Amino acid sequence: MEILLEPLEYEFFRHALLAALMIGALCGLIGVYVILRGMSYVGHGLSHAAFGGAVAGFFLNLNFYAGAGVMGLVAALLIDRITRSGKVKLDAAIGIVTTAMFAFGVAIISQARTSGLSFEAALFGNILGITHGDLVVIGSVTAVNIAAVILLYRPLLFSTFDNEAARVFGIRTGAVHLIFSLLLTLSVIASMNVVGVTMIAATLIAPAMTARMITDSFSRMLLYACLIGAVTGVAGMYLSYIFNVASGAAIVLFGALLFCLAGLAKLAQQKFALSVTLHRHGDLIHSHPHTEAHLESGKSAEDEGFGTPKPREPARKPL
Amino acid sequence: MSTRAISRLDPGDPGTKPAVSLTGVSAGYEHNVVFTRLSLDIHAGQFAGIVGPTGCGKTTLLKIILGTMPAFSGEVRVAGQAAATIRPGLVGYVPQLGSVDWSFPVTVEEVILMGLYTSGRVWPWPSREERRRVRDLAHRLGIHDCLRHHIVHTSGGQRQRAFLARALISNPRLVVLDEPTSGVDIKTQHEVLHLLGDINSEGITILLTTHDLNAVASHLPWVICFNNGIVAQGRPQDIFTADILTRTYGGDIVIVRHEGHFLIANNTPLRFKGDAQ
Ligand SMILES: Nc1ncnc2c1ncn2[C@@H]1O[C@H](COP(=O)(O)OP(=O)(O)OP(=O)(O)O)[C@@H](O)[C@H]1O
Ligand SMILES: [Mg+2]
């Protein structure tokens, strides 16, 4: 308990914790759509483009968010424009657009290296120096995204599941996609300082993947991903403080750990289900869940259980 | 839904215009013109099937009718309206089930509800009325038992019905289905087509594509033989002739008639391994 309370004495840690909590929830929520729409690489790319913008903005004496925001939005719109014709594949468009913008930032930094500036925080995340201003930005972006996901729940879900059918049913899928791209861009920019450019993709994806493991329902997946993201953010922040590692890395590692645990739990559950339903018909040993129809036919799963095989039994009549 | 049969007699109703009307339509992809100057009318209340070989443009034709793909030229009207300005809910669509992402986290109920997603309600959760409509329709289609199931845990027939329910729940005038008979066994095929026949008898126009000529011959009143253009259209008993089918498919096709039933087959006699040649 002590170890959890002690860092709270520092204002910088309280700021960092609050930021990580909001960003975790935000990325978890948006990440559900990111993985289901196949846009993981878009998130990754946008953060790199925003980095280029942030660096350029810094040397133009602009606000961090202004530079990153402008470049991020330009990248999102450019990618949308290039892929709309259908001639260029999405991953190729992202590769060229966002890497070029990232390279632009890198070029500026390497030119000005002598100035002694470090962009390590933007690359890997930093828990020091999260200001009130940062918290306001992160809080507003989180609020806007949550509101948008609630108000656009229906068109977003339909177009994510089946874009063509959504169009036939009258959903303006082009507009929905554009709005979602903007929401993603905002989320990425808000998260940059805390998790770092290189870690954003995993921060988006991991909670959603973990949530997918534990539910089959879309609305639950949204809720779980949000909660898992928030927990991951908070836990990652503590780990970052305790072990003195970059916050982005700590958050991503903790997210990956949760994902592995969910995976193992699922595997164990399947193994268990298998051992319950494993049975034999004559020489054939196999497994399938026993439906009510099976049970009504007079045999319970147990008396055929693999643990007590009968040497021979008449073939089951076909269902 | 039973009240809908009457409304098509109303002369001011869009239902009395051709459900689908194409005039001089050319369409295709960038380096691939699929059909040119196609004209086709499908009457309101029709139950029509499009048949033709793989790659002949059936899906392309449906996309043009549904307005998800622009035509190069020509005029496309659905229920008297230009395809782009169609009122949401007027056309129901059942995609080819092979194109559905079965690992997507949705239940059968959530899939059916999507059919109401353009009805104007904003809140994510369904209203009581929406829930009731889903339940009633699911009962009618015999899938009320699996409403809570994840889509991957359903049979081929249930999947087809779930997507059909999504298409029907907004009370459309036209339902378009891409290959509803693919990937299910003969009995389910029969059930699906029978169900579509019932729905059609309530006045809903139905247009589908299929590869199953025998199912078409026994269930559909109207067939369009398609191969980069219309080869022939009419009642199956009139147009399923060896000549027309050979022109449609380009193969050698024979038609066996037996006690009022058709059997359409490729003219390569069935041989079993081990039979004497
Ligand atoms: N997205 C696309 N881009 C380019 N060409 C395409 C595209 N989709 C289909 N085609 C081509 O257009 C032609 C018609 O295809 P279409 O899908 O309409 O055929 P189909 O009759 O539906 O075939 P099937 O019975 O196999 O479903 C084919 O030659 C196909 O290769
Ligand atoms: Mg097709």
Side-chain angles (χ1 to χ4, degrees), chain B residues 229-248:
Chain B
I230 295 170
V231 177
Q233 60 173 322
R235 302 186 308 160
Q237 55 268 48
D238 300 332
I239 66 158
F240 275 3
T241 62
D243 171 49
I244 289 176
L245 291 178
T246 301
R247 274 197 284 139
T248 307

mmCIF file with all atom_site columns, all heavy atoms in Angstrom, chain B residues 229-248:
data_model
loop_
_atom_site.group_PDB
_atom_site.id
_atom_site.type_symbol
_atom_site.label_atom_id
_atom_site.label_alt_id
_atom_site.label_comp_id
_atom_site.label_asym_id
_atom_site.label_entity_id
_atom_site.label_seq_id
_atom_site.pdbx_PDB_ins_code
_atom_site.Cartn_x
_atom_site.Cartn_y
_atom_site.Cartn_z
_atom_site.occupancy
_atom_site.B_iso_or_equiv
_atom_site.pdbx_formal_charge
_atom_site.auth_seq_id
_atom_site.auth_comp_id
_atom_site.auth_asym_id
_atom_site.auth_atom_id
_atom_site.pdbx_PDB_model_num
ATOM 1   N N   . GLY B 1 229 ? -24.277 -9.315  -70.000 1.00 0.00 ? 229 GLY B N   1
ATOM 2   C CA  . GLY B 1 229 ? -25.445 -8.761  -70.666 1.00 0.00 ? 229 GLY B CA  1
ATOM 3   C C   . GLY B 1 229 ? -26.561 -9.784  -70.514 1.00 0.00 ? 229 GLY B C   1
ATOM 4   O O   . GLY B 1 229 ? -26.318 -10.900 -70.078 1.00 0.00 ? 229 GLY B O   1
ATOM 5   N N   . ILE B 1 230 ? -27.773 -9.368  -70.874 1.00 0.00 ? 230 ILE B N   1
ATOM 6   C CA  . ILE B 1 230 ? -28.886 -10.299 -70.688 1.00 0.00 ? 230 ILE B CA  1
ATOM 7   C C   . ILE B 1 230 ? -28.974 -11.236 -71.883 1.00 0.00 ? 230 ILE B C   1
ATOM 8   O O   . ILE B 1 230 ? -29.108 -10.791 -73.026 1.00 0.00 ? 230 ILE B O   1
ATOM 9   C CB  . ILE B 1 230 ? -30.197 -9.520  -70.505 1.00 0.00 ? 230 ILE B CB  1
ATOM 10  C CG1 . ILE B 1 230 ? -30.120 -8.716  -69.204 1.00 0.00 ? 230 ILE B CG1 1
ATOM 11  C CG2 . ILE B 1 230 ? -31.390 -10.472 -70.484 1.00 0.00 ? 230 ILE B CG2 1
ATOM 12  C CD1 . ILE B 1 230 ? -31.231 -7.731  -69.034 1.00 0.00 ? 230 ILE B CD1 1
ATOM 13  N N   . VAL B 1 231 ? -28.876 -12.524 -71.633 1.00 0.00 ? 231 VAL B N   1
ATOM 14  C CA  . VAL B 1 231 ? -29.009 -13.498 -72.715 1.00 0.00 ? 231 VAL B CA  1
ATOM 15  C C   . VAL B 1 231 ? -30.487 -13.760 -72.960 1.00 0.00 ? 231 VAL B C   1
ATOM 16  O O   . VAL B 1 231 ? -30.944 -13.796 -74.104 1.00 0.00 ? 231 VAL B O   1
ATOM 17  C CB  . VAL B 1 231 ? -28.278 -14.815 -72.355 1.00 0.00 ? 231 VAL B CB  1
ATOM 18  C CG1 . VAL B 1 231 ? -28.475 -15.845 -73.454 1.00 0.00 ? 231 VAL B CG1 1
ATOM 19  C CG2 . VAL B 1 231 ? -26.804 -14.542 -72.111 1.00 0.00 ? 231 VAL B CG2 1
ATOM 20  N N   . ALA B 1 232 ? -31.230 -13.913 -71.877 1.00 0.00 ? 232 ALA B N   1
ATOM 21  C CA  . ALA B 1 232 ? -32.668 -14.136 -71.994 1.00 0.00 ? 232 ALA B CA  1
ATOM 22  C C   . ALA B 1 232 ? -33.296 -13.905 -70.637 1.00 0.00 ? 232 ALA B C   1
ATOM 23  O O   . ALA B 1 232 ? -32.623 -14.012 -69.619 1.00 0.00 ? 232 ALA B O   1
ATOM 24  C CB  . ALA B 1 232 ? -32.952 -15.567 -72.463 1.00 0.00 ? 232 ALA B CB  1
ATOM 25  N N   . GLN B 1 233 ? -34.581 -13.576 -70.617 1.00 0.00 ? 233 GLN B N   1
ATOM 26  C CA  . GLN B 1 233 ? -35.280 -13.568 -69.334 1.00 0.00 ? 233 GLN B CA  1
ATOM 27  C C   . GLN B 1 233 ? -36.707 -14.029 -69.511 1.00 0.00 ? 233 GLN B C   1
ATOM 28  O O   . GLN B 1 233 ? -37.300 -13.864 -70.563 1.00 0.00 ? 233 GLN B O   1
ATOM 29  C CB  . GLN B 1 233 ? -35.211 -12.200 -68.660 1.00 0.00 ? 233 GLN B CB  1
ATOM 30  C CG  . GLN B 1 233 ? -35.818 -11.062 -69.448 1.00 0.00 ? 233 GLN B CG  1
ATOM 31  C CD  . GLN B 1 233 ? -35.859 -9.789  -68.615 1.00 0.00 ? 233 GLN B CD  1
ATOM 32  O OE1 . GLN B 1 233 ? -36.117 -9.850  -67.421 1.00 0.00 ? 233 GLN B OE1 1
ATOM 33  N NE2 . GLN B 1 233 ? -35.609 -8.652  -69.244 1.00 0.00 ? 233 GLN B NE2 1
ATOM 34  N N   . GLY B 1 234 ? -37.233 -14.641 -68.476 1.00 0.00 ? 234 GLY B N   1
ATOM 35  C CA  . GLY B 1 234 ? -38.596 -15.155 -68.563 1.00 0.00 ? 234 GLY B CA  1
ATOM 36  C C   . GLY B 1 234 ? -38.835 -16.181 -67.479 1.00 0.00 ? 234 GLY B C   1
ATOM 37  O O   . GLY B 1 234 ? -38.053 -16.294 -66.535 1.00 0.00 ? 234 GLY B O   1
ATOM 38  N N   . ARG B 1 235 ? -39.929 -16.934 -67.641 1.00 0.00 ? 235 ARG B N   1
ATOM 39  C CA  . ARG B 1 235 ? -40.215 -17.977 -66.662 1.00 0.00 ? 235 ARG B CA  1
ATOM 40  C C   . ARG B 1 235 ? -39.234 -19.130 -66.897 1.00 0.00 ? 235 ARG B C   1
ATOM 41  O O   . ARG B 1 235 ? -38.885 -19.424 -68.041 1.00 0.00 ? 235 ARG B O   1
ATOM 42  C CB  . ARG B 1 235 ? -41.645 -18.479 -66.850 1.00 0.00 ? 235 ARG B CB  1
ATOM 43  C CG  . ARG B 1 235 ? -42.675 -17.356 -66.727 1.00 0.00 ? 235 ARG B CG  1
ATOM 44  C CD  . ARG B 1 235 ? -44.073 -17.911 -66.777 1.00 0.00 ? 235 ARG B CD  1
ATOM 45  N NE  . ARG B 1 235 ? -44.258 -18.778 -67.942 1.00 0.00 ? 235 ARG B NE  1
ATOM 46  C CZ  . ARG B 1 235 ? -45.228 -19.686 -68.044 1.00 0.00 ? 235 ARG B CZ  1
ATOM 47  N NH1 . ARG B 1 235 ? -46.075 -19.860 -67.058 1.00 0.00 ? 235 ARG B NH1 1
ATOM 48  N NH2 . ARG B 1 235 ? -45.341 -20.421 -69.130 1.00 0.00 ? 235 ARG B NH2 1
ATOM 49  N N   . PRO B 1 236 ? -38.802 -19.791 -65.857 1.00 0.00 ? 236 PRO B N   1
ATOM 50  C CA  . PRO B 1 236 ? -37.788 -20.833 -66.049 1.00 0.00 ? 236 PRO B CA  1
ATOM 51  C C   . PRO B 1 236 ? -38.243 -21.910 -67.033 1.00 0.00 ? 236 PRO B C   1
ATOM 52  O O   . PRO B 1 236 ? -37.450 -22.368 -67.858 1.00 0.00 ? 236 PRO B O   1
ATOM 53  C CB  . PRO B 1 236 ? -37.576 -21.401 -64.646 1.00 0.00 ? 236 PRO B CB  1
ATOM 54  C CG  . PRO B 1 236 ? -38.549 -20.753 -63.743 1.00 0.00 ? 236 PRO B CG  1
ATOM 55  C CD  . PRO B 1 236 ? -39.100 -19.564 -64.429 1.00 0.00 ? 236 PRO B CD  1
ATOM 56  N N   . GLN B 1 237 ? -39.539 -22.264 -66.994 1.00 0.00 ? 237 GLN B N   1
ATOM 57  C CA  . GLN B 1 237 ? -39.977 -23.322 -67.910 1.00 0.00 ? 237 GLN B CA  1
ATOM 58  C C   . GLN B 1 237 ? -39.880 -22.883 -69.360 1.00 0.00 ? 237 GLN B C   1
ATOM 59  O O   . GLN B 1 237 ? -39.777 -23.704 -70.266 1.00 0.00 ? 237 GLN B O   1
ATOM 60  C CB  . GLN B 1 237 ? -41.395 -23.815 -67.558 1.00 0.00 ? 237 GLN B CB  1
ATOM 61  C CG  . GLN B 1 237 ? -42.464 -22.747 -67.489 1.00 0.00 ? 237 GLN B CG  1
ATOM 62  C CD  . GLN B 1 237 ? -42.629 -22.198 -66.074 1.00 0.00 ? 237 GLN B CD  1
ATOM 63  O OE1 . GLN B 1 237 ? -41.651 -21.862 -65.415 1.00 0.00 ? 237 GLN B OE1 1
ATOM 64  N NE2 . GLN B 1 237 ? -43.871 -22.089 -65.613 1.00 0.00 ? 237 GLN B NE2 1
ATOM 65  N N   . ASP B 1 238 ? -39.891 -21.553 -69.606 1.00 0.00 ? 238 ASP B N   1
ATOM 66  C CA  . ASP B 1 238 ? -39.782 -21.068 -70.980 1.00 0.00 ? 238 ASP B CA  1
ATOM 67  C C   . ASP B 1 238 ? -38.342 -20.876 -71.426 1.00 0.00 ? 238 ASP B C   1
ATOM 68  O O   . ASP B 1 238 ? -38.025 -21.079 -72.600 1.00 0.00 ? 238 ASP B O   1
ATOM 69  C CB  . ASP B 1 238 ? -40.514 -19.719 -71.130 1.00 0.00 ? 238 ASP B CB  1
ATOM 70  C CG  . ASP B 1 238 ? -41.990 -19.835 -70.798 1.00 0.00 ? 238 ASP B CG  1
ATOM 71  O OD1 . ASP B 1 238 ? -42.523 -20.951 -70.977 1.00 0.00 ? 238 ASP B OD1 1
ATOM 72  O OD2 . ASP B 1 238 ? -42.572 -18.839 -70.337 1.00 0.00 ? 238 ASP B OD2 1
ATOM 73  N N   . ILE B 1 239 ? -37.502 -20.439 -70.499 1.00 0.00 ? 239 ILE B N   1
ATOM 74  C CA  . ILE B 1 239 ? -36.161 -20.076 -70.977 1.00 0.00 ? 239 ILE B CA  1
ATOM 75  C C   . ILE B 1 239 ? -35.068 -21.054 -70.573 1.00 0.00 ? 239 ILE B C   1
ATOM 76  O O   . ILE B 1 239 ? -33.946 -20.928 -71.036 1.00 0.00 ? 239 ILE B O   1
ATOM 77  C CB  . ILE B 1 239 ? -35.759 -18.652 -70.520 1.00 0.00 ? 239 ILE B CB  1
ATOM 78  C CG1 . ILE B 1 239 ? -35.619 -18.590 -69.012 1.00 0.00 ? 239 ILE B CG1 1
ATOM 79  C CG2 . ILE B 1 239 ? -36.721 -17.615 -71.026 1.00 0.00 ? 239 ILE B CG2 1
ATOM 80  C CD1 . ILE B 1 239 ? -34.746 -17.438 -68.611 1.00 0.00 ? 239 ILE B CD1 1
ATOM 81  N N   . PHE B 1 240 ? -35.366 -21.995 -69.713 1.00 0.00 ? 240 PHE B N   1
ATOM 82  C CA  . PHE B 1 240 ? -34.327 -22.987 -69.431 1.00 0.00 ? 240 PHE B CA  1
ATOM 83  C C   . PHE B 1 240 ? -34.327 -24.040 -70.521 1.00 0.00 ? 240 PHE B C   1
ATOM 84  O O   . PHE B 1 240 ? -34.778 -25.163 -70.355 1.00 0.00 ? 240 PHE B O   1
ATOM 85  C CB  . PHE B 1 240 ? -34.533 -23.612 -68.045 1.00 0.00 ? 240 PHE B CB  1
ATOM 86  C CG  . PHE B 1 240 ? -33.926 -22.795 -66.935 1.00 0.00 ? 240 PHE B CG  1
ATOM 87  C CD1 . PHE B 1 240 ? -33.309 -21.582 -67.203 1.00 0.00 ? 240 PHE B CD1 1
ATOM 88  C CD2 . PHE B 1 240 ? -33.950 -23.237 -65.626 1.00 0.00 ? 240 PHE B CD2 1
ATOM 89  C CE1 . PHE B 1 240 ? -32.753 -20.822 -66.189 1.00 0.00 ? 240 PHE B CE1 1
ATOM 90  C CE2 . PHE B 1 240 ? -33.394 -22.478 -64.600 1.00 0.00 ? 240 PHE B CE2 1
ATOM 91  C CZ  . PHE B 1 240 ? -32.797 -21.265 -64.883 1.00 0.00 ? 240 PHE B CZ  1
ATOM 92  N N   . THR B 1 241 ? -33.806 -23.614 -71.667 1.00 0.00 ? 241 THR B N   1
ATOM 93  C CA  . THR B 1 241 ? -33.669 -24.549 -72.776 1.00 0.00 ? 241 THR B CA  1
ATOM 94  C C   . THR B 1 241 ? -32.184 -24.801 -72.963 1.00 0.00 ? 241 THR B C   1
ATOM 95  O O   . THR B 1 241 ? -31.347 -23.988 -72.547 1.00 0.00 ? 241 THR B O   1
ATOM 96  C CB  . THR B 1 241 ? -34.224 -23.942 -74.078 1.00 0.00 ? 241 THR B CB  1
ATOM 97  O OG1 . THR B 1 241 ? -33.444 -22.768 -74.373 1.00 0.00 ? 241 THR B OG1 1
ATOM 98  C CG2 . THR B 1 241 ? -35.684 -23.547 -73.924 1.00 0.00 ? 241 THR B CG2 1
ATOM 99  N N   . ALA B 1 242 ? -31.874 -25.927 -73.573 1.00 0.00 ? 242 ALA B N   1
ATOM 100 C CA  . ALA B 1 242 ? -30.471 -26.266 -73.764 1.00 0.00 ? 242 ALA B CA  1
ATOM 101 C C   . ALA B 1 242 ? -29.761 -25.160 -74.532 1.00 0.00 ? 242 ALA B C   1
ATOM 102 O O   . ALA B 1 242 ? -28.627 -24.790 -74.223 1.00 0.00 ? 242 ALA B O   1
ATOM 103 C CB  . ALA B 1 242 ? -30.363 -27.590 -74.505 1.00 0.00 ? 242 ALA B CB  1
ATOM 104 N N   . ASP B 1 243 ? -30.457 -24.583 -75.486 1.00 0.00 ? 243 ASP B N   1
ATOM 105 C CA  . ASP B 1 243 ? -29.852 -23.546 -76.318 1.00 0.00 ? 243 ASP B CA  1
ATOM 106 C C   . ASP B 1 243 ? -29.485 -22.311 -75.485 1.00 0.00 ? 243 ASP B C   1
ATOM 107 O O   . ASP B 1 243 ? -28.341 -21.846 -75.496 1.00 0.00 ? 243 ASP B O   1
ATOM 108 C CB  . ASP B 1 243 ? -30.834 -23.178 -77.429 1.00 0.00 ? 243 ASP B CB  1
ATOM 109 C CG  . ASP B 1 243 ? -30.352 -21.960 -78.183 1.00 0.00 ? 243 ASP B CG  1
ATOM 110 O OD1 . ASP B 1 243 ? -29.163 -21.961 -78.572 1.00 0.00 ? 243 ASP B OD1 1
ATOM 111 O OD2 . ASP B 1 243 ? -31.138 -20.993 -78.362 1.00 0.00 ? 243 ASP B OD2 1
ATOM 112 N N   . ILE B 1 244 ? -30.455 -21.798 -74.725 1.00 0.00 ? 244 ILE B N   1
ATOM 113 C CA  . ILE B 1 244 ? -30.198 -20.572 -73.948 1.00 0.00 ? 244 ILE B CA  1
ATOM 114 C C   . ILE B 1 244 ? -29.138 -20.816 -72.883 1.00 0.00 ? 244 ILE B C   1
ATOM 115 O O   . ILE B 1 244 ? -28.225 -20.006 -72.684 1.00 0.00 ? 244 ILE B O   1
ATOM 116 C CB  . ILE B 1 244 ? -31.506 -20.050 -73.322 1.00 0.00 ? 244 ILE B CB  1
ATOM 117 C CG1 . ILE B 1 244 ? -32.392 -19.478 -74.426 1.00 0.00 ? 244 ILE B CG1 1
ATOM 118 C CG2 . ILE B 1 244 ? -31.209 -18.975 -72.277 1.00 0.00 ? 244 ILE B CG2 1
ATOM 119 C CD1 . ILE B 1 244 ? -33.748 -19.025 -73.937 1.00 0.00 ? 244 ILE B CD1 1
ATOM 120 N N   . LEU B 1 245 ? -29.224 -21.932 -72.210 1.00 0.00 ? 245 LEU B N   1
ATOM 121 C CA  . LEU B 1 245 ? -28.251 -22.202 -71.151 1.00 0.00 ? 245 LEU B CA  1
ATOM 122 C C   . LEU B 1 245 ? -26.857 -22.409 -71.715 1.00 0.00 ? 245 LEU B C   1
ATOM 123 O O   . LEU B 1 245 ? -25.864 -21.998 -71.122 1.00 0.00 ? 245 LEU B O   1
ATOM 124 C CB  . LEU B 1 245 ? -28.680 -23.404 -70.317 1.00 0.00 ? 245 LEU B CB  1
ATOM 125 C CG  . LEU B 1 245 ? -29.918 -23.136 -69.452 1.00 0.00 ? 245 LEU B CG  1
ATOM 126 C CD1 . LEU B 1 245 ? -30.322 -24.381 -68.700 1.00 0.00 ? 245 LEU B CD1 1
ATOM 127 C CD2 . LEU B 1 245 ? -29.676 -21.992 -68.493 1.00 0.00 ? 245 LEU B CD2 1
ATOM 128 N N   . THR B 1 246 ? -26.790 -23.014 -72.879 1.00 0.00 ? 246 THR B N   1
ATOM 129 C CA  . THR B 1 246 ? -25.490 -23.189 -73.497 1.00 0.00 ? 246 THR B CA  1
ATOM 130 C C   . THR B 1 246 ? -24.921 -21.832 -73.889 1.00 0.00 ? 246 THR B C   1
ATOM 131 O O   . THR B 1 246 ? -23.739 -21.563 -73.714 1.00 0.00 ? 246 THR B O   1
ATOM 132 C CB  . THR B 1 246 ? -25.597 -24.112 -74.723 1.00 0.00 ? 246 THR B CB  1
ATOM 133 O OG1 . THR B 1 246 ? -26.106 -25.354 -74.276 1.00 0.00 ? 246 THR B OG1 1
ATOM 134 C CG2 . THR B 1 246 ? -24.248 -24.321 -75.378 1.00 0.00 ? 246 THR B CG2 1
ATOM 135 N N   . ARG B 1 247 ? -25.799 -20.930 -74.356 1.00 0.00 ? 247 ARG B N   1
ATOM 136 C CA  . ARG B 1 247 ? -25.313 -19.587 -74.683 1.00 0.00 ? 247 ARG B CA  1
ATOM 137 C C   . ARG B 1 247 ? -24.907 -18.824 -73.422 1.00 0.00 ? 247 ARG B C   1
ATOM 138 O O   . ARG B 1 247 ? -23.985 -18.020 -73.446 1.00 0.00 ? 247 ARG B O   1
ATOM 139 C CB  . ARG B 1 247 ? -26.401 -18.809 -75.444 1.00 0.00 ? 247 ARG B CB  1
ATOM 140 C CG  . ARG B 1 247 ? -26.341 -19.080 -76.939 1.00 0.00 ? 247 ARG B CG  1
ATOM 141 C CD  . ARG B 1 247 ? -27.107 -18.035 -77.694 1.00 0.00 ? 247 ARG B CD  1
ATOM 142 N NE  . ARG B 1 247 ? -28.540 -18.251 -77.580 1.00 0.00 ? 247 ARG B NE  1
ATOM 143 C CZ  . ARG B 1 247 ? -29.436 -17.277 -77.406 1.00 0.00 ? 247 ARG B CZ  1
ATOM 144 N NH1 . ARG B 1 247 ? -29.039 -16.022 -77.324 1.00 0.00 ? 247 ARG B NH1 1
ATOM 145 N NH2 . ARG B 1 247 ? -30.718 -17.545 -77.312 1.00 0.00 ? 247 ARG B NH2 1
ATOM 146 N N   . THR B 1 248 ? -25.601 -19.083 -72.319 1.00 0.00 ? 248 THR B N   1
ATOM 147 C CA  . THR B 1 248 ? -25.255 -18.386 -71.080 1.00 0.00 ? 248 THR B CA  1
ATOM 148 C C   . THR B 1 248 ? -23.948 -18.891 -70.500 1.00 0.00 ? 248 THR B C   1
ATOM 149 O O   . THR B 1 248 ? -23.078 -18.122 -70.102 1.00 0.00 ? 248 THR B O   1
ATOM 150 C CB  . THR B 1 248 ? -26.374 -18.586 -70.033 1.00 0.00 ? 248 THR B CB  1
ATOM 151 O OG1 . THR B 1 248 ? -27.597 -18.197 -70.618 1.00 0.00 ? 248 THR B OG1 1
ATOM 152 C CG2 . THR B 1 248 ? -26.114 -17.751 -68.791 1.00 0.00 ? 248 THR B CG2 1
#
